[in-house]
Amino acid sequence: MSSPASSTPTPSLERCARSLHLADGTFVAASPAAAAVYGAAPEALVGRRLQHLVAPEDVPAAESALDEAMRSSDAVSFVVRLRGGNDAPRRIEIVAHAEGGAAGERRLCCTARDAAAGARAIAEHEQLSSRAEEMGRRLERLIASVPGIVWEIWFADDPSRQRVSFVSERALALSGYTPEEWLSEPDFWTKITHPDDRRAADASGALATTGSASVQSRWLTKDGRLLWVETQMRALCNDDGSLAGYCGVTLDITASKRAEQEQARLREEIIASQARLLAELSTPLIPLSDGVIAMPLIGSIDRARAERVVETLLHGISASSARTAILDITGVPTVDTQVADALLKAARGVQLLGAEIVLTGIGPEVARTLVALGVELTGIVTRGTLQDGIRYAASASTTRGARSVA
């Protein structure tokens, strides 16, 4: 990403003149830049003493500095004015240091530049340093505002050994480990990742392929907590494009994970409740009077519903101690082998419980189908309509009551 244009001019590179001198300041050699600094061609400077180029009032200071440089192992910096015409003398900054072994063999190496250029360079350096410090403070504020851990990892030897090189202060609150502990050993990331999630948390393949990855895993914190975290990361590459490490942000998503799990649990409960309600609606059991219950069926009947019909009917008879059960199939559009088998199972089950079953809603088409299927309805009372079945059940109940009184 390119940075936006700045109104501040880019600092220019000032040329420096480099020269070699005898102990008394005589030029032995000079670089091409000497022409711009000293005002004379390099070849014209050879054989001349540096002091001859300096304004008379600054010669003592120049000689003192050169003598000090010859005696010292450190570089000596000084500023002098050059000889000039009517114009104001130009100031240059010279840094001199001695090279060589024995005193008679030592030479002075000097680097000179315009003093004004040096002042500008110092000012520019200070300005750049100030900008760098401000950028550093801004980066710290940005990292502190991130609601997660900002981190950087470089491979210690290869991608299988990772060493954390930077981790933000939020690591302590999130993981219980201090930034120093994060930086203390390779593979620290693996140490705190739940063993079952370590394979899923390894995004090196995706990073090498696409340059970015997002993974979710669980962390084991220092104080024994189990956290769900989501990590967004990007690849750090060497100059040749090979993978060198990762950087990214890790967020605590434990609360959202728990909310998802709770929503999933509630969704399953709702689905189960709806299934139970549908089962009840598909096999309604209606008490008509003492000892009489009715189950009107509407819609098609598959194997699962046929099983619920039998189960609900038998459970209802057992729970209510009914003596007569009316099974109405008026609303069943098609009677096939599966429906006929369910009716027979229901009849046998009701009879085994000591009750009587009345089958109603059998029209001509249903009757022909039952005959064609060879369904044997022996022992089952049949009536054309539900009303006829209710009248029969009421009459049978009255008869049973009279018998019990007698």
Side-chain angles (χ1 to χ4, degrees):
M1 179 183 296
S2 60
S3 59
S6 172
S7 59
T8 303
T10 303
S12 59
L13 295 177
E14 303 291 345
R15 300 184 65 185
C16 296
R18 293 176 175 80
S19 54
L20 183 64
H21 302 258
L22 299 177
D24 63 355
T26 301
F27 281 88
V28 176
S31 68
V37 175
Y38 293 109
E43 58 273 15
L45 292 174
V46 175
R48 299 178 63 184
R49 295 181 65 195
L50 176 62
Q51 295 89 318
H52 291 165
L53 305 176
V54 176
E57 56 270 29
D58 289 349
V59 169
E63 291 183 339
S64 176
L66 293 175
D67 289 342
E68 182 182 352
M70 284 296 293
R71 295 191 305 268
S72 173
S73 59
D74 297 326
V76 176
S77 176
F78 58 99
V79 177
V80 293
R81 289 167 294 181
L82 296 179
R83 295 176 184 267
N86 297 327
D87 296 334
R90 190 158 51 89
R91 295 164 60 87
I92 63 171
E93 179 184 6
I94 301 175
V95 178
H97 69 277
E99 290 185 353
E105 299 175 357
R106 290 170 70 81
R107 296 290 184 266
L108 281 172
C109 294
C110 293
T111 301
R113 64 179 176 180
D114 190 290
R120 287 196 301 271
I122 293 173
E124 290 172 356
H125 175 74
E126 292 176 349
Q127 186 179 28
L128 290 174
S129 297
S130 177
R131 289 180 183 176
E133 291 175 0
E134 175 56 30
M135 289 297 293
R137 289 191 293 269
R138 184 179 301 171
L139 181 59
E140 289 177 357
R141 291 194 296 269
L142 288 173
I143 291 176
S145 69
V146 175
I149 301 176
V150 180
W151 51 267
E152 186 179 72
I153 285 178
W154 294 93
F155 302 147
D157 302 308
D158 56 68
S160 66
R161 289 179 57 79
Q162 307 169 2
R163 181 178 292 279
V164 178
S165 57
F166 171 80
V167 63
S168 61
E169 293 294 331
R170 201 175 291 271
L172 177 60
L174 193 60
S175 69
Y177 293 96
T178 65
E180 290 73 24
E181 288 176 301
W182 276 74
L183 303 175
S184 63
E185 56 182 296
D187 303 322
F188 188 83
W189 201 279
T190 304
K191 173 182 176 180
I192 65 173
T193 301
H194 192 285
D196 294 343
D197 295 349
R198 287 172 184 169
R199 182 182 295 274
D202 181 8
S204 56
L207 285 166
T209 304
T210 65
S212 63
S214 175
V215 298
Q216 294 183 358
S217 60
R218 289 167 295 174
W219 276 3
L220 299 169
T221 65
K222 192 173 185 178
D223 55 2
R225 292 175 293 129
L226 187 64
L227 297 182
W228 271 101
V229 296
E230 180 175 4
T231 300
Q232 303 282 344
M233 63 188 84
R234 296 188 65 83
L236 298 172
C237 297
N238 296 308
D239 293 339
D240 62 0
S242 60
L243 195 62
Y246 321 133
C247 65
V249 178
T250 298
L251 304 173
D252 182 357
I253 60 169
T254 304
S256 61
K257 273 292 184 179
R258 288 174 179 168
E260 288 178 7
Q261 293 169 353
E262 180 64 16
Q263 289 176 354
R265 186 186 66 80
L266 291 175
R267 186 162 53 248
E268 291 177 358
E269 288 185 357
I270 291 172
I271 292 173
S273 177
Q274 290 174 339
R276 289 192 298 269
L277 180 60
L278 289 174
E280 292 173 359
L281 292 175
S282 65
T283 55
L285 195 61
I286 304 171
L288 298 178
S289 62
D290 290 342
V292 180
I293 59 175
M295 178 181 285
L297 300 178
I298 299 174
S300 60
I301 299 177
D302 57 13
R303 183 179 301 278
R305 189 180 178 194
E307 293 176 356
R308 288 198 299 272
V309 167
V310 175
E311 180 182 352
T312 303
L313 184 60
L314 298 182
H315 178 74
I317 291 174
S318 176
S320 64
S321 300
R323 304 295 297 168
T324 302
I326 302 173
L327 188 60
D328 180 62
I329 61 172
T330 304
V332 178
T334 304
V335 175
D336 54 14
T337 304
Q338 192 164 261
V339 175
D341 184 57
L343 296 177
L344 292 177
K345 284 184 178 179
R348 288 194 292 269
V350 169
Q351 291 167 351
L352 288 174
L353 292 176
E356 183 180 31
I357 187 167
V358 179
L359 185 60
T360 64
I362 299 179
E365 291 296 329
V366 173
R368 280 195 293 271
T369 300
L370 292 175
V371 171
L373 293 173
V375 178
E376 183 62 54
L377 299 178
T378 303
I380 301 176
V381 177
T382 60
R383 292 292 185 268
T385 65
L386 177 59
Q387 290 84 350
D388 291 340
I390 293 173
R391 282 195 290 269
Y392 170 81
S395 174
S397 179
T398 302
T399 303
R400 284 193 295 271
R403 289 175 181 172
S404 63
V405 171

